[in-house]
Amino acid sequence: MIVSVKSVSAVVAATMMVVGSASAAFSITQGSSAPTYGTVLDFENVSTGFYAANAWSNLGLASFTDGASGGLSVVDVSGTSPWVTSNVADGFAFGLYLTFADDATEASFQLWSSAGPPGPFGGLSVVLLDGNGNSIDGLTVSTPVWVNNPNNGWINITTSGSSTFRGIAISYGGFGFPALYADNFSWNLVPTPGALALLGLGFMGSRRRLA
């Protein structure tokens, strides 16, 4: 499911209502660091320019957009601040919206934003989405991740039991279109039944060779 411009407004509205920490099934934390999971999308190694929503389908991303253009801009913001020194995903206008090809169990990424502290006209939120694009949990980022506390912009998402999520919406409020940049994405997806079957066949084949 690709998040459309029409659905983005609903996601943003849901995002602005997110308060406090995530539920027991999901843990979304903000801190000075986060684990790196199995699949990595690091924009430092991506050329600047505009990319189609499905540009990273080989990494298990069905869609990655800014919610307005139908795709994603990668920009070089070196010199914007002492802490943003490389190519990053640009969330200008509506935010950043990721949809995975399969269910995800963990994810992490780094944010920089000038949206300011939470409030009616500011703040930054991270919302987890299900396969239909509905919000299932989220976190209002409690501390600005810009000049005031630049090293507190890592977001880490984990799940418990059989809980999974299919997408992530990163959105913000504020006047004058605040900046929103992100980088160093990583995640783990639940293997599809076909992939598990292939793994099983490979294991059986290795056992035959050993016999």
Side-chain angles (χ1 to χ4, degrees), residues 191-211:
T192 61
L196 289 173
L198 289 174
L199 286 173
L201 288 173
F203 176 71
M204 291 178 65
S206 66
R207 288 192 64 184
R208 289 194 190 100
R209 287 191 296 270
L210 292 171

Side-chain angles (χ1 to χ4, degrees), residues 2 6 13 38 47 52 56 61 119 124 143 150 168 170 182 187 204-205 208:
I2 296 176
K6 181 178 179 181
S47 300
W56 294 281
L61 275 179
L124 183 69
T143 305
I168 303 172
I170 308 166
W187 57 85
M204 291 178 65
R208 289 194 190 100

Side-chain angles (χ1 to χ4, degrees), residues 1-195:
M1 188 282 297
I2 296 176
V3 178
S4 66
V5 175
K6 181 178 179 181
S7 64
V8 162
S9 60
V11 172
V12 171
T15 300
M16 291 299 100
M17 292 188 291
V18 173
V19 179
S21 60
S23 70
F26 302 92
S27 173
I28 311 173
T29 58
Q30 175 191 0
S32 59
S33 63
T36 299
Y37 295 107
T39 302
V40 175
L41 176 56
D42 180 355
F43 290 104
E44 295 174 10
N45 299 314
V46 175
S47 300
T48 59
F50 182 79
Y51 291 83
N54 64 349
W56 294 281
S57 59
N58 63 311
L59 297 178
L61 275 179
S63 173
F64 194 169
T65 77
D66 60 13
S69 64
L72 181 70
S73 292
V74 176
V75 297
D76 181 358
V77 290
S78 301
T80 300
S81 81
W83 309 283
V84 190
T85 58
S86 62
N87 296 351
V88 292
D90 189 358
F92 174 74
F94 284 102
L96 294 168
Y97 301 87
L98 298 81
T99 303
F100 298 105
D102 295 298
D103 291 338
T105 53
E106 294 92 15
S108 66
F109 48 90
Q110 191 174 17
L111 295 174
W112 299 269
S113 177
S114 57
F121 304 107
L124 183 69
S125 295
V126 175
V127 170
L128 304 185
L129 308 175
D130 64 16
N132 296 315
N134 300 311
S135 61
I136 53 177
D137 215 324
L139 175 73
T140 297
V141 176
S142 60
T143 305
V145 287
W146 198 253
V147 177
N148 292 337
N149 201 346
N151 296 317
N152 202 35
W154 282 96
I155 302 296
N156 185 42
I157 302 166
T158 59
T159 61
S160 61
S162 60
S163 299
T164 60
F165 54 97
R166 185 59 69 92
I168 303 172
I170 308 166
S171 61
Y172 58 88
F175 295 108
F177 293 103
L180 172 60
Y181 303 127
D183 196 7
N184 302 310
F185 286 85
S186 71
W187 57 85
N188 287 334
L189 301 183
V190 177
T192 61

